[in-house]
Amino acid sequence: MKNFALIGAAGYIAPRHLKAIKETNNQLIAALDKFDSVGILDSYFPNADFFVEFERFDRHIEKLKRAGVSLDYVSICTPNYLHDAHIRMALRRGADAICEKPLVLNPWNVDALKDIEKESGQKIHTILQLRLHPSIIALKNKVAAEHKKEKYEVDLTYITSRGKWYDVSWKGDESKSGGIATNIGVHFYDMLSWIFGDVQENIVHVREKNKAAGYLEFKNARVRWFLSIDENDLPEFIKEKEQRTFRSITIDAQELEFSAGFTDLHTKSYEQILKGNGFGLEDSEKSINIVHDIRNLTISAAGVKHPFLNKQI
């Protein structure tokens, strides 16, 4: 049984980590969040010590270490811009870090973490759960087996409506979240690069506060992508169903069905990490580079545009 601490216990994603820690038969000994709405802990680890101040949490971890209680892992579910600092804290305390994506916001942060990882002897793991989804694994194997000479034609569309709260929260602040492409798109970019290889071209057609679109060319695919949190971008047939989310990936005009199979992917991620097979810094680099470039590239009219940019939604 390994000892875990959790930073960001009141967040949206925290319950998936709590469930994963529990289902892999490990123990949460301490949790931290500036907000105290963490009754979810009662469902998993009611005896975990809880703190609302980082300093007292850090002091508690130090005291446990001196008392001979080892901290094996720190799970990090905090806002994106804090990941780097919280990873460093975990490694300083002699624990491995398990961090939600994006691992960091900028490519140079990865280089610095590589040095700290070597100095500490600890490991940094990231949650790239789409790589463990059965449909995505099947697609990767299919692409590898086909040895297709022509590039695959891919359309990625993800619209997940968000209310007014979004702009007020840290997610609406690009300096904290990395913007829309980072916040809701980074796991898709990781999936695409994992399946289709290195990026050869990155063009941004739209980059607004609530939506972004562009063109990515990988070694084995041409990808037109569109991401939005604006409900007005939803297709009419989705609006008619009174649904607020639309997700679609087509490959050579064939829809990739992966709507099911998400419920246990964090647990699967933890199982692999505990076996020594987790995804590390190198695995995160491609998607971090992609979203950094999307955030900083000049808007261009070049490249093939996503269908949603060429018609009235």
Side-chain angles (χ1 to χ4, degrees), residues 214-277:
Y215 172 80
L216 279 163
E217 187 157 339
F218 295 90
K219 180 181 178 183
N220 295 309
R222 289 186 284 263
V223 179
R224 295 154 294 278
W225 58 269
F226 181 92
L227 305 173
S228 174
I229 59 170
D230 184 352
E231 64 181 338
N232 295 314
D233 290 328
L234 290 168
E236 286 300 329
F237 76 94
I238 295 294
K239 293 178 184 177
E240 290 169 2
K241 296 178 184 178
E242 297 185 348
Q243 296 178 0
R244 292 179 57 80
T245 297
F246 174 68
R247 176 175 56 200
S248 171
I249 298 177
T250 62
I251 299 150
D252 289 344
Q254 297 294 312
E255 187 75 31
L256 172 65
E257 174 51 51
F258 68 117
S259 57
F262 280 91
T263 55
D264 62 345
L265 292 183
H266 274 72
T267 297
K268 286 184 178 180
S269 298
Y270 272 64
E271 288 171 348
Q272 293 303 311
I273 289 168
L274 290 161
K275 291 177 183 177
N277 300 324

Side-chain angles (χ1 to χ4, degrees), residues 35-253:
F35 301 106
D36 59 8
S37 297
V38 291
I40 188 68
L41 289 172
D42 286 344
S43 300
Y44 296 98
F45 301 102
N47 294 320
D49 290 304
F50 175 67
F51 301 86
V52 294
E53 295 168 308
F54 179 84
E55 293 80 3
R56 297 185 71 183
F57 169 80
D58 190 45
R59 173 177 174 268
H60 179 72
I61 298 301
E62 171 69 15
K63 287 175 67 177
L64 288 176
K65 181 179 178 181
R66 292 185 179 278
V69 178
S70 66
L71 177 63
D72 300 298
Y73 294 92
V74 176
S75 298
I76 298 164
C77 306
T78 50
N80 299 347
Y81 73 108
L82 296 175
H83 288 175
D84 192 3
H86 291 153
I87 289 169
R88 291 165 184 252
M89 173 268 173
L91 270 56
R92 283 200 311 271
R93 290 296 177 219
D96 282 8
I98 301 176
C99 187
E100 271 294 334
K101 58 198 167 301
L103 196 62
V104 290
L105 292 179
N106 300 301
W108 53 86
N109 299 139
V110 176
D111 296 332
L113 287 178
K114 285 180 182 178
D115 293 336
I116 296 169
E117 196 178 50
K118 289 177 184 176
E119 292 167 7
S120 67
Q122 304 302 136
K123 288 290 293 179
I124 300 168
H125 313 275
T126 188
I127 302 293
L128 301 174
Q129 73 268 35
L130 284 184
R131 296 192 185 195
L132 302 177
H133 193 292
S135 297
I136 304 303
I137 293 171
L139 174 61
K140 179 175 173 62
N141 293 337
K142 178 177 180 287
V143 169
E146 284 182 343
H147 301 294
K148 187 178 175 184
K149 292 183 179 179
E150 302 84 13
K151 294 192 178 188
Y152 292 88
E153 300 293 337
V154 180
D155 284 341
L156 163 64
T157 313
Y158 183 45
I159 304 166
T160 178
S161 306
R162 294 290 185 264
K164 293 181 179 179
W165 66 269
Y166 190 95
D167 283 345
V168 180
S169 76
W170 64 268
K171 295 182 179 183
D173 183 341
E174 185 174 302
S175 68
K176 295 181 177 180
S177 70
I180 199 77
T182 304
N183 211 34
I184 71 169
V186 67
H187 54 302
F188 289 118
Y189 301 128
D190 172 73
M191 178 199 77
L192 291 167
S193 61
W194 186 57
I195 294 172
F196 296 114
D198 292 338
V199 175
Q200 296 179 337
E201 190 170 21
N202 189 344
I203 299 171
V204 179
H205 297 133
V206 174
R207 186 177 58 235
E208 300 174 3
K209 194 172 183 64
N210 60 0
K211 71 189 70 179
Y215 172 80
L216 279 163
E217 187 157 339
F218 295 90
K219 180 181 178 183
N220 295 309
R222 289 186 284 263
V223 179
R224 295 154 294 278
W225 58 269
F226 181 92
L227 305 173
S228 174
I229 59 170
D230 184 352
E231 64 181 338
N232 295 314
D233 290 328
L234 290 168
E236 286 300 329
F237 76 94
I238 295 294
K239 293 178 184 177
E240 290 169 2
K241 296 178 184 178
E242 297 185 348
Q243 296 178 0
R244 292 179 57 80
T245 297
F246 174 68
R247 176 175 56 200
S248 171
I249 298 177
T250 62
I251 299 150
D252 289 344

